[in-house]
Amino acid sequence: IVWPLLSVPAGVFSKGYWSLWVFISIAWSFVATGVIIWLPIYESRDTFINIFNSILGRKSMKQEEAKIGAEQTTETTETTETTETTET
C-alpha cells in the first residue's frame, strides 16, 4: 500500500521519474532475493556444518556438546557425592 502511495504526488510520471521507480523496483527485487536466499542458509548454518562433518566422518557439534554436557554432569555428580560423604 505504501509503495503506490509514494507515487501519487507525482501525478503523471516523467521519463526520469519513471526510470527512478524502475530502478528502485529492480534494486528492491535484488535485495529481497538476497535476503530470501541467504537468511535461511545463515539460520541453518549449524545444520549444514553437521551434515558436512558427517560426510567427512568427523563428529558433529551436537555430539561434542552432548559429550561435554555428560562430562559436566558426571563431574557435578562426583562433586555432590564427595560433599555428601564429607558432611556425614
Side-chain angles (χ1 to χ4, degrees), residues 15 37 42 46 53 75 82 84 88:
K15 186 175 182 178
I37 291 171
Y42 177 75
D46 292 336
N53 285 337
E75 291 173 6
T82 306
E84 288 175 359
T88 49

Side-chain angles (χ1 to χ4, degrees), residues 49-68:
I49 290 169
N50 287 336
I51 290 169
F52 291 130
N53 285 337
S54 296
I55 290 171
L56 296 174
R58 300 179 189 161
K59 291 184 179 179
S60 69
M61 290 173 51
K62 287 186 179 182
Q63 290 173 341
E64 290 294 325
E65 290 172 358
K67 182 180 175 185
I68 292 170

Side-chain angles (χ1 to χ4, degrees), residues 28-41:
W28 185 274
S29 65
F30 276 106
V31 170
T33 300
V35 169
I36 289 167
I37 291 171
W38 288 108
L39 271 181
I41 292 172

